Amino acid sequence: MSKSKRLMELMMAVNRKRKFTVKELAQEFGVSSRTILRDLQELSELGVPLYSEVGPHGGYQVLRERILPPIAFTEDEAVSIFFAVHALRHYASLPFESESSAALSKFYYYMSGDTRDRIDQMKNRVDFVTPERQISAPYLSILLDAAIQQKVLLIDYESRDKRTIHDIQPIGIYSRNGLWYCPAYSFHHQEVRTFRCDRMHSVAPSDMEALDLSHIHLENREVITRTDQEHIALYAELTRKGVKMYEAEPWPVLNMQTREDGSGWLEGKILTSDIPYFASFFIGLGHEVTIKEPSELLACIQSTLSELMDKYG
Amino acid sequence: MSKSKRLMELMMAVNRKRKFTVKELAQEFGVSSRTILRDLQELSELGVPLYSEVGPHGGYQVLRERILPPIAFTEDEAVSIFFAVHALRHYASLPFESESSAALSKFYYYMSGDTRDRIDQMKNRVDFVTPERQISAPYLSILLDAAIQQKVLLIDYESRDKRTIHDIQPIGIYSRNGLWYCPAYSFHHQEVRTFRCDRMHSVAPSDMEALDLSHIHLENREVITRTDQEHIALYAELTRKGVKMYEAEPWPVLNMQTREDGSGWLEGKILTSDIPYFASFFIGLGHEVTIKEPSELLACIQSTLSELMDKYG
DNA sequence: ATAATTATGACAATCCTTGTCACTATTATC
DNA sequence: GATAATAGTGACAAGGATTGTCATAATTAT
């Protein structure tokens, strides 16, 4: 193997391992230790941040930065990466250390001139918008950490009507439409609930013993948690226009089906406690929706309407 | 300069240039042409996709892929890039050739083992959700292209109530809440309007002369276009609960201010044609909002309500 | 035709690379 | 304090790789 090839592979190897010894690499590459030492010095000169310690359990390490070996990206790939990261700028809070803008400028800086030109042209023409919020969610990384390490947290939470302090065991966090949510097992409610991260006034480690929820994560939490709660079937007809309106603002739990003529219907099971929200929602759809069931929803809509008539009458 | 170092720099050089000749590089690196030829062959063997043509105006080219030189990313940077690109998977349509999943796996593949472990742990614990849509928008790249190159397009568009064919000159495209929008100058309406990309039935190049709108882009379009349209002032009081409800679903044109006690108010200028939408929206907020002006909006809410009373009464 | 370009082969001079050996220095562990 | 594991340096000779030069071919736009 030629030296240059070995250097490239060496670069990948030291990236893969966090720690390694000269002897180890010498055997792996089938060259002498002396050669590896010389190679490592050369890598060092090329910018790979190597650090070494002598003595037993000593060895080499790659510091802070990890050098990615020459990755081949197509221009399109580079462009999509750029815009994906660029879209993160809309977020007031992120669960990472948020050095993504640093990453972005590095990426941008190393791109070939004409790819950069293309990006510059596109910069003001494409965007992934997320509503800009004043609200910040400072505890994202703590929550994420707890979810990964299966730890219990004590939170001071302000819900719609009251403020309580209780223990939760986070399952994960996700952002939707600019807000961060945290599905978590609530020891107080004895079930999985979703909390708004910006409504947490404080988050601290708790002494409580964690449950084994490692098999529950963001993708499957609904399947698992939606068993022992009060659900009720919903069925509603949509006009052609109603279909379009619903498409613009769908609810994850309601499944929409369309017919050939453009009309359609909604089916799904909803939480009884969510009925008031669905009531507002369907009122917004006006004549374009006709609710068949549940009757509880119809009743709720009627009472909401008559209250509103009093207000606006 | 050692050969390995030269190869690395050569790799960067051929990335920077799109096209180059052997002689050119030979002079730049101060070696003979023969050496450069040998080096290029070696680069080729290392995976750089080089292509050459003989004859005058011939020369070397780097194909499709651009090799990024060894970029140093910190672990945090790599992680944020990963999740930013990962979030794109929610989009049914993208304006790029959508090789982002390929880019992602490359990126993932080359990362060090423990960064990969960290990502694996986080994968099911963090997400940037965008509502999944069945609707696809196949014309995104054409629209984007037209916006960049300032071209006029003839579109077959289905709006809320009718289907028309007319000329537009796109300003850009953006996605919001899972749907793609295209602000564009409409020759038919003689003003800038925003179109839903999924409602375009066809998009084709038009023969019309393009206007000079190069100074208008996504960031400034509102400032410029909001001059000669029918606007009307809106002012509404929000209760404490109303403030929280509005935060979850804000409208870009309405500015919310809060008081110390948690209550607040909304101010802004709205399009008269949008009044029906605001009516539905404020009905959804129920008792938590009190509209002061415009009276047109109040009237619209009243008529909507009485219609609904007929339906649900 | 001509000039510009890539492409390939041969060869000798030279430069670089490699392994070996000898040695030093540091440090964790017994 | 001895020992073993580790990095680090220097010297040297053998062998291998690299380089420039030259010759020559092939292709193609002008």
Side-chain angles (χ1 to χ4, degrees):
Chain A
M1 182 160 49
S2 76
K3 191 194 171 192
S4 6
K5 209 167 176 183
R6 194 181 61 231
L7 278 182
M8 300 261 184
E9 296 201 10
L10 201 58
M11 194 151 74
M12 299 194 202
V14 302
N15 263 308
R16 236 180 309 115
K17 311 169 186 286
R18 190 186 201 43
K19 248 188 135 182
F20 53 90
T21 66
V22 174
K23 209 174 168 186
E24 190 184 328
L25 288 183
Q27 281 168 0
E28 205 172 312
F29 283 87
V31 294
S32 72
S33 297
R34 189 66 240 269
T35 304
I36 291 291
L37 270 169
R38 284 192 272 240
D39 285 351
L40 286 176
Q41 184 169 353
E42 204 158 330
L43 279 192
S44 216
E45 282 161 15
L46 282 169
V48 183
L50 293 171
Y51 166 79
S52 64
E53 268 179 355
V54 297
H57 306 291
Y60 268 88
Q61 283 176 252
V62 187
L63 291 184
R64 355 165 278 288
E65 318 226 22
R66 310 308 184 73
I67 304 293
L68 291 177
I71 307 179
F73 287 117
T74 64
E75 189 171 295
D76 272 318
E77 286 167 356
V79 169
S80 14
I81 290 176
F82 182 90
F83 282 98
V85 178
H86 196 227
L88 292 186
R89 77 189 185 290
H90 291 298
Y91 288 85
S93 313
L94 280 173
F96 324 112
E97 291 296 315
S98 178
E99 294 307 329
S100 66
S101 66
L104 198 59
S105 54
K106 269 184 203 168
F107 202 75
Y108 181 77
Y109 174 78
Y110 278 114
M111 271 181 298
S112 71
D114 51 334
T115 307
R116 218 182 302 184
D117 288 347
R118 181 157 163 228
I119 284 180
D120 284 335
Q121 286 180 315
M122 287 173 69
K123 226 172 186 171
N124 287 320
R125 307 283 178 195
V126 193
D127 202 357
F128 296 85
V129 176
T130 306
E132 308 253 4
R133 312 284 184 175
Q134 301 94 330
I135 322 173
S136 71
Y139 304 113
L140 294 180
S141 40
I142 301 179
L143 292 166
L144 176 57
D145 228 54
I148 291 173
Q149 295 174 36
Q150 294 282 302
K151 289 194 174 157
V152 181
L153 298 174
L154 188 65
I155 64 169
D156 176 357
Y157 189 74
E158 182 165 10
S159 64
R160 279 181 288 270
D161 29 25
K162 56 185 183 293
R163 188 162 163 176
T164 51
I165 294 182
H166 58 283
D167 288 300
I168 61 166
Q169 186 175 333
I171 288 170
I173 55 176
Y174 64 89
S175 101
R176 183 182 195 103
N177 209 8
L179 293 175
W180 283 95
Y181 299 87
C182 175
Y185 180 82
S186 162
F187 287 89
H188 179 243
H189 305 96
Q190 306 231 340
E191 62 178 17
V192 173
R193 295 208 170 184
T194 298
F195 300 91
R196 281 249 308 256
C197 300
D198 56 289
R199 289 192 176 154
M200 298 179 183
H201 288 282
S202 77
V203 174
S206 162
D207 298 329
M208 281 201 75
E209 194 74 27
L211 301 178
D212 181 22
L213 303 177
S214 54
H215 57 291
I216 305 182
H217 47 75
L218 287 183
E219 307 291 325
N220 68 4
R221 89 200 120 94
E222 298 186 1
V223 183
I224 290 177
T225 60
R226 282 287 152 85
T227 45
D228 54 342
Q229 296 200 27
E230 273 190 78
H231 283 84
I232 195 160
L234 181 145
Y235 181 89
E237 282 289 331
L238 290 171
T239 63
R240 203 150 167 276
K241 209 166 155 184
V243 167
K244 305 220 156 186
M245 288 172 76
Y246 182 77
E247 276 173 347
E249 234 184 302
W251 289 64
V253 294
L254 292 184
N255 187 19
M256 183 180 71
Q257 308 274 315
T258 48
R259 300 192 186 85
E260 278 190 11
D261 64 352
S263 71
W265 70 95
L266 291 175
E267 271 178 320
K269 283 179 182 285
I270 63 172
L271 280 171
T272 47
S273 56
D274 282 345
I275 284 182
Y277 299 96
F278 282 98
S280 307
F281 178 68
F282 285 119
I283 288 174
L285 288 181
H287 286 298
E288 313 306 332
V289 66
T290 306
I291 294 152
K292 302 291 187 185
E293 55 178 20
S295 54
E296 286 89 338
L297 180 55
L298 282 167
C300 182
I301 289 177
Q302 277 159 14
S303 69
T304 310
L305 279 177
S306 58
E307 277 176 30
L308 283 172
M309 282 299 272
D310 291 344
K311 183 181 172 79
Y312 287 100
Chain B
M1 180 162 46
S2 77
K3 191 194 171 191
S4 9
K5 209 168 176 183
R6 194 180 61 230
L7 278 181
M8 300 261 185
E9 296 202 10
L10 200 59
M11 194 151 74
M12 299 193 202
V14 301
N15 265 309
R16 236 181 309 115
K17 311 170 186 286
R18 190 183 201 47
K19 249 188 135 181
F20 53 90
T21 66
V22 173
K23 210 173 169 186
E24 191 184 327
L25 288 182
Q27 281 168 1
E28 205 171 312
F29 282 87
V31 293
S32 71
S33 297
R34 188 64 180 88
T35 304
I36 291 291
L37 270 169
R38 285 193 270 240
D39 285 353
L40 286 176
Q41 184 168 353
E42 203 158 333
L43 278 193
S44 216
E45 281 160 17
L46 281 170
V48 184
L50 293 171
Y51 166 79
S52 63
E53 269 179 354
V54 296
H57 306 290
Y60 268 89
Q61 283 176 255
V62 186
L63 291 184
R64 355 166 278 288
E65 319 226 22
R66 309 308 185 74
I67 304 292
L68 291 178
I71 307 179
F73 286 117
T74 65
E75 189 170 296
D76 271 319
E77 285 167 356
V79 169
S80 10
I81 291 176
F82 182 89
F83 282 98
V85 178
H86 194 50
L88 292 187
R89 77 188 186 290
H90 291 298
Y91 289 84
S93 311
L94 281 173
F96 325 111
E97 291 296 315
S98 180
E99 297 304 332
S100 65
S101 65
L104 198 60
S105 55
K106 270 183 204 169
F107 202 76
Y108 181 77
Y109 174 77
Y110 279 115
M111 271 182 297
S112 71
D114 50 335
T115 306
R116 218 183 304 184
D117 288 348
R118 181 156 163 227
I119 285 180
D120 284 335
Q121 285 181 316
M122 287 174 69
K123 223 172 186 172
N124 288 320
R125 306 286 179 194
V126 193
D127 203 357
F128 296 85
V129 175
T130 306
E132 308 252 5
R133 310 285 183 175
Q134 300 95 331
I135 321 175
S136 71
Y139 305 113
L140 293 179
S141 40
I142 301 179
L143 293 166
L144 176 56
D145 229 53
I148 291 172
Q149 295 173 35
Q150 294 284 301
K151 291 196 175 156
V152 180
L153 298 174
L154 187 66
I155 65 169
D156 176 357
Y157 189 75
E158 182 165 7
S159 65
R160 282 180 287 270
D161 30 26
K162 57 185 183 292
R163 188 162 164 176
T164 51
I165 295 183
H166 58 282
D167 288 300
I168 61 167
Q169 185 175 333
I171 289 170
I173 56 176
Y174 65 87
S175 102
R176 182 180 196 105
N177 209 8
L179 291 176
W180 283 95
Y181 298 88
C182 175
Y185 180 82
S186 161
F187 288 88
H188 178 242
H189 304 96
Q190 306 230 341
E191 61 177 19
V192 173
R193 296 207 169 185
T194 298
F195 300 91
R196 281 250 307 257
C197 300
D198 56 289
R199 287 191 177 156
M200 297 179 183
H201 289 283
S202 77
V203 173
S206 163
D207 298 329
M208 282 200 73
E209 194 74 25
L211 302 178
D212 181 22
L213 303 176
S214 55
H215 57 291
I216 305 180
H217 48 74
L218 287 183
E219 307 290 326
N220 69 5
R221 88 201 120 93
E222 298 186 3
V223 183
I224 292 178
T225 59
R226 280 288 152 85
T227 45
D228 54 341
Q229 296 200 27
E230 273 191 78
H231 284 85
I232 196 161
L234 181 144
Y235 181 89
E237 281 290 330
L238 290 171
T239 63
R240 203 151 167 278
K241 209 167 157 183
V243 166
K244 304 219 159 193
M245 287 171 77
Y246 181 77
E247 276 173 348
E249 235 183 302
W251 288 63
V253 292
L254 293 183
N255 188 19
M256 184 180 70
Q257 307 274 315
T258 49
R259 301 193 186 84
E260 279 190 10
D261 65 351
S263 70
W265 70 95
L266 292 175
E267 270 178 320
K269 282 179 183 283
I270 62 171
L271 280 170
T272 47
S273 55
D274 281 346
I275 285 182
Y277 299 95
F278 282 99
S280 304
F281 178 68
F282 285 119
I283 289 174
L285 288 181
H287 286 298
E288 314 306 333
V289 65
T290 306
I291 294 152
K292 302 291 186 184
E293 54 177 22
S295 54
E296 288 88 338
L297 180 55
L298 282 168
C300 183
I301 289 178
Q302 277 159 13
S303 70
T304 310
L305 280 178
S306 59
E307 277 176 31
L308 283 171
M309 281 301 271
D310 291 344
K311 183 181 170 79
Y312 287 100

